[in-house]
Amino acid sequence: MINNLSHTIFITSFLIVFSIVSFGQGKPNVVLIISDDAGYADFGFQGSTMMKTPHLDKLAEQGMIFRQAYVTAAVCGPSRAGLLTGRYQQRFGYEENNVPGYMSKSCLPDKEMGLPLDQVTMGDYMKSLGYKTGYFGKWHMGNADKYHPTKRGFDTFYGFRGGARSYFAFNEENPNHRQEDYLERGFGGFREADKYLTYALADETASFIEKHKNEPFFVVLAFNAVHTPMQAREKDLEAFPELTGKRKYLAAMTLSMDRGCGVVLDKLAELGLEDNTIVIFTNDNGGPTDTNTAINDPLSGTKANHLEGGIRVPFLMRWPGVVPEKSTYDFPISTLDLLPTFFVAAGGSLNALKEIDGVDLLPYISGKNVRRPHQTLFWKKENRGVIREGDWKLLRFPDRPAELYNIAQDIAEVNNLAMKHPDKVKEMYKKLFEWELTLQRPLWQLQRKYEGKAMKRMDAYRK
């Protein structure tokens, strides 16, 4: 799985870096970049010939591409809750998107929906190791003041509290009436940017890096690109004369996001920080093939369902001297693994992490541990549930028989093997149920008319 580097040399370099970290010297900086609603195939490094992503393609060349990277949910709020805590979000009741106005009468009011305050975040853990922490972009972990990023482990915040907003400044021509959509600097400093939002977020991230160049820093850059609304600069649209409609806008928005990544990556190079910075790029869930015409090939499925196209995402990692260039990793990993990987790389002990479900990836990607990081992974949303065990994947539905696939042989999930392997279905169904018994009841739920959209998307792939 590791290319262009002998196992012996790699293990030696890994141990040297690990020993340096263990003695508290040369702590690596960490930059985590998250796109929003991007299609699995909509990047050059993923094989697209239509999208222009030169900066991310270069990042892929400089590090490792993870071929089976998974998020913990097929929609953004729960997925981000799992990523930030290293725990299955269902363990603390964050099973649905916290979207104001979408909740049933029996559930929490809008102001109470958010990442529970007893959960420890990446920001909290990295601060405990002496890191300066910054969060830039989409938060979506609760709109109320008590859920604010600056109260959840982040020293610096520049972004918006909600789940989506305009890429252009709110003004008389582009009005807005929801506080959670406004750009906010720090706590309560609401002020709109005078530039396209993707570039504003990237520039603020680069400024944070420059300010803290002489001390270890942890940065999350959570773009709202390429989530709706489909809004792009005219200059970026002009780069795709062959495209029309939503696809043209998606390409332009992807180009601007790639440029935003370039701003941050160039700043690291300018300051001489590349060699001592872990950079991760990934996406929050599968691409929505209806609202922004994302392409998830060769995967079936889309945002909001549990086929591979809803939960498998692009994933890159660069750490010179530790992660080999032009390499790939083929076993399944999860965004649950980001927190323990960062924490251990920064000199922390896994024993200090509370009840996490992720694993430290460094021994696996180094080749020191040749087993799978995860033999079993789970997903759940109301009555829908999924278990992947090894290469087998079972999908449970509330209104139809379960489906079983061998992902290694059938990445597109077109050959349902449930009838051929009833014992395997029974075995996996039981393990899924046992996992569900460890979970908390959802703190809130979407109304059925919204939940139904996800089922309709999945039905479309069955016709």
Side-chain angles (χ1 to χ4, degrees):
M1 296 179 187
I2 298 173
N3 304 326
N4 304 327
L5 196 63
S6 73
H7 183 74
T8 301
I9 294 175
F10 183 78
I11 290 297
T12 301
S13 65
F14 173 79
L15 292 176
I16 290 173
V17 172
F18 184 80
S19 64
I20 290 174
V21 170
S22 297
F23 285 99
Q25 299 176 353
K27 289 184 175 182
N29 306 306
V30 179
V31 176
L32 170 60
I33 304 174
I34 309 169
S35 58
D36 193 348
D37 277 10
Y40 186 76
D42 283 336
F43 298 91
F45 66 86
Q46 292 287 89
S48 177
T49 58
M50 181 182 301
M51 297 296 177
K52 299 177 181 180
T53 55
H55 295 98
L56 289 172
D57 297 347
K58 181 179 178 181
L59 183 68
E61 288 283 310
Q62 295 170 334
M64 181 176 284
I65 301 175
F66 291 75
R67 296 300 186 191
Q68 296 193 71
Y70 288 97
V71 289
T72 62
V75 291
C76 47
S79 170
R80 292 161 192 264
L83 180 153
L84 285 172
T85 62
R87 306 184 69 208
Y88 284 113
Q89 63 279 356
Q90 296 93 343
R91 294 199 187 279
F92 46 86
Y94 200 135
E95 191 166 311
E96 303 274 11
N97 262 333
N98 58 323
V99 182
Y102 280 18
M103 304 306 137
S104 62
K105 294 180 180 179
S106 61
C107 296
L108 294 173
D110 292 352
K111 66 179 181 180
E112 295 300 323
M113 295 186 298
L115 183 64
L117 300 181
D118 60 351
Q119 297 304 305
V120 186
T121 73
M122 276 185 183
D124 293 316
Y125 280 118
M126 297 303 279
K127 279 190 71 171
S128 74
L129 297 177
Y131 277 67
K132 292 295 182 182
T133 57
Y135 195 101
F136 302 86
K138 171 177 173 174
W139 178 237
H140 209 201
M141 292 291 99
N143 299 332
D145 289 351
K146 63 183 178 180
Y147 298 123
H148 196 271
T150 58
K151 300 182 180 182
R152 306 310 301 271
F154 294 96
D155 300 310
T156 299
F157 174 63
Y158 180 83
F160 57 99
R161 302 187 192 188
R165 59 149 285 160
S166 171
Y167 289 79
F168 299 103
F170 293 123
N171 50 40
E172 292 183 359
E173 296 180 356
N174 186 28
N176 170 64
H177 303 289
R178 299 189 304 181
Q179 175 178 285
E180 63 266 21
D181 293 344
Y182 278 104
L183 269 180
E184 183 178 10
R185 184 185 295 273
F187 180 75
F190 295 98
R191 186 173 75 250
E192 288 297 286
D194 60 357
K195 63 183 75 172
Y196 188 68
L197 182 56
T198 300
Y199 297 122
L201 298 176
D203 289 345
E204 289 292 329
T205 303
S207 295
F208 177 89
I209 290 171
E210 177 137 27
K211 180 179 179 181
H212 298 290
K213 60 185 177 183
N214 295 321
E215 53 194 330
F217 57 79
F218 169 59
V219 171
V220 178
L221 171 53
F223 287 113
N224 59 324
V226 292
H227 194 291
T228 54
M230 306 305 290
Q231 297 174 336
R233 301 189 317 161
E234 286 299 324
K235 183 177 181 180
D236 294 332
L237 288 167
E238 292 170 0
F240 301 91
E242 72 282 11
L243 299 178
T244 60
K246 291 181 180 179
R247 193 69 181 160
K248 184 183 186 78
Y249 275 84
L250 179 62
M253 294 163 71
T254 301
L255 176 60
S256 67
M257 182 185 65
D258 182 79
R259 285 181 180 150
C261 293
V263 168
V264 175
L265 297 173
D266 289 348
K267 178 58 67 173
L268 293 172
E270 174 192 326
L271 299 174
L273 298 175
E274 282 184 313
D275 289 347
N276 195 40
T277 301
I278 302 170
V279 178
I280 299 280
F281 173 82
T282 190
N283 190 56
D284 65 342
N285 48 246
T289 55
D290 51 355
T291 58
N292 74 2
T293 64
I295 293 178
N296 295 321
D297 293 348
L299 312 176
S300 291
T302 181
K303 175 182 179 178
N305 70 46
H306 289 138
L307 294 170
E308 292 290 285
I311 56 177
R312 191 189 292 202
V313 292
F315 193 106
L316 304 175
M317 183 178 187
R318 183 186 77 183
W319 189 6
V322 178
V323 176
E325 296 182 355
K326 299 180 180 179
S327 60
T328 60
Y329 189 79
D330 295 324
F331 281 145
I333 66 161
S334 170
T335 48
L336 294 169
D337 304 328
L338 290 174
L339 190 157
T341 301
F342 296 159
F343 192 72
V344 172
S349 169
L350 282 176
N351 294 330
L353 301 177
K354 300 178 180 178
E355 301 177 325
I356 63 165
D357 295 299
V359 302
D360 171 20
L361 290 174
L362 294 179
Y364 297 93
I365 62 179
S366 71
K368 186 177 180 180
N369 190 331
V370 298
R371 294 176 297 179
R372 292 173 179 253
H374 298 276
Q375 176 63 20
T376 309
L377 289 167
F378 299 97
W379 294 265
K380 177 185 180 295
K381 192 167 186 287
E382 294 193 341
N383 292 328
R384 289 183 287 144
V386 179
I387 175 174
R388 173 164 177 172
E389 187 170 40
D391 290 326
W392 290 98
K393 179 180 174 185
L394 176 80
L395 295 96
R396 184 196 67 203
F397 307 97
D399 59 350
R400 68 187 76 174
E403 296 176 6
L404 179 70
Y405 300 98
N406 186 310
I407 300 302
Q409 300 173 2
D410 181 20
I411 190 175
E413 296 170 288
V414 295
N415 185 21
N416 181 8
L417 301 174
M419 295 294 290
K420 291 184 178 180
H421 300 279
D423 290 341
K424 175 65 70 174
V425 171
K426 183 178 179 180
E427 171 193 336
M428 294 180 70
Y429 201 105
K430 181 179 178 181
K431 289 182 179 179
L432 175 60
F433 180 71
E434 290 173 346
W435 172 72
E436 289 177 307
L437 291 177
T438 69
L439 308 179
Q440 182 175 332
R441 291 180 63 85
L443 295 176
W444 59 85
Q445 294 177 315
L446 291 179
Q447 292 178 1
R448 288 296 172 185
K449 63 180 179 179
Y450 298 103
E451 170 70 8
K453 291 182 179 180
M455 298 305 294
K456 289 179 180 179
R457 287 174 177 171
M458 182 169 282
D459 287 339
Y461 281 92
R462 297 301 183 215
K463 295 179 180 179

